[in-house]
Amino acid sequence: MQTRVETKSRKRVRVAAGDIFAVPLDAEQQSFGYIRAYQDVDVGILPVISKARILSIAQIPTVGSVLDVFLFQDALKTGRWPRIGNLPFSDESSSWAPARKQVAASRPEVRMVVFRGHFIAADKFGQYDELPLFQKFDEEDVIREMLQRADEFLVIDS
């Protein structure tokens, strides 16, 4: 006889520019990092960690990111990383992640810039070398990056 396992179905979350999400940094959920969504699938990692609780949107001390990355957003859309609110960007252009250079190991001669969801040839864009690196992160990469930088982050205890 088969038994049916009840699973709580979660409504898919629609991610909007300015949404702030809490990122559980350990299995026991004793500390949380924070990210802010840009347009498209990019997020900014915020330099804040809270202990023992998730901060409210009003308690987020900064929306300035320490790193902007492309994120596979399954944890956001399924609700595993809770959305705590939205802090809108000041204008439409700031709601996009800054331009970043794409470095392809297989074809280093191809110099592309990722800007507002598009790949643009570096010679057409007009910049390349001084731009930060375009990085694709999954959930574990975000958590690892936050933990590696934790000493540089503001830590808020309960």
Side-chain angles (χ1 to χ4, degrees):
M1 171 188 244
Q2 287 185 325
T3 58
R4 199 169 135 219
V5 176
E6 294 293 325
T7 58
K8 183 179 176 183
S9 83
R10 294 182 179 171
K11 186 176 177 184
R12 293 208 41 100
V13 174
R14 174 175 246 136
V15 179
D19 283 351
I20 306 284
F21 292 86
V23 178
L25 297 179
D26 52 59
E28 298 79 30
Q29 297 191 4
Q30 293 300 307
S31 61
F32 297 88
Y34 297 87
I35 59 173
R36 185 182 191 199
Y38 287 108
Q39 296 280 357
D40 207 13
V41 294
D42 294 315
V43 299
I45 296 175
L46 305 181
V48 178
I49 292 176
S50 63
K51 300 281 187 176
R53 67 184 173 93
I54 295 175
L55 300 176
S56 72
I57 196 76
Q59 295 171 310
I60 297 295
T62 181
V63 289
S65 65
V66 294
L67 183 64
D68 302 307
V69 299
F70 171 103
L71 175 65
F72 296 101
Q73 296 191 342
D74 190 53
L76 308 183
K77 292 179 178 181
T78 60
R80 283 196 318 274
W81 291 359
R83 178 173 48 199
I84 62 168
N86 185 287
L87 292 171
F89 287 91
S90 58
D91 55 42
E92 198 274 334
S93 68
S94 65
S95 69
W96 290 93
R100 290 158 291 158
K101 64 183 170 189
Q102 181 185 33
V103 178
S106 60
R107 299 199 47 210
E109 74 281 2
V110 177
R111 295 166 50 104
M112 301 295 285
V113 174
V114 180
F115 183 67
R116 294 190 180 186
H118 300 284
F119 290 93
I120 302 169
D123 56 352
K124 184 176 179 182
F125 188 76
Q127 288 181 302
Y128 185 80
D129 292 327
E130 62 276 10
L131 294 175
L133 186 63
F134 174 74
Q135 299 178 72
K136 288 185 179 181
F137 274 24
D138 62 20
E139 297 168 30
E140 292 79 24
D141 294 328
V142 170
I143 293 167
R144 185 173 29 261
E145 187 72 27
M146 289 176 167
L147 291 173
Q148 285 175 349
R149 293 177 179 241
D151 290 345
E152 308 163 27
F153 285 14
L154 172 65
V155 177
I156 300 173
D157 284 315
S158 35

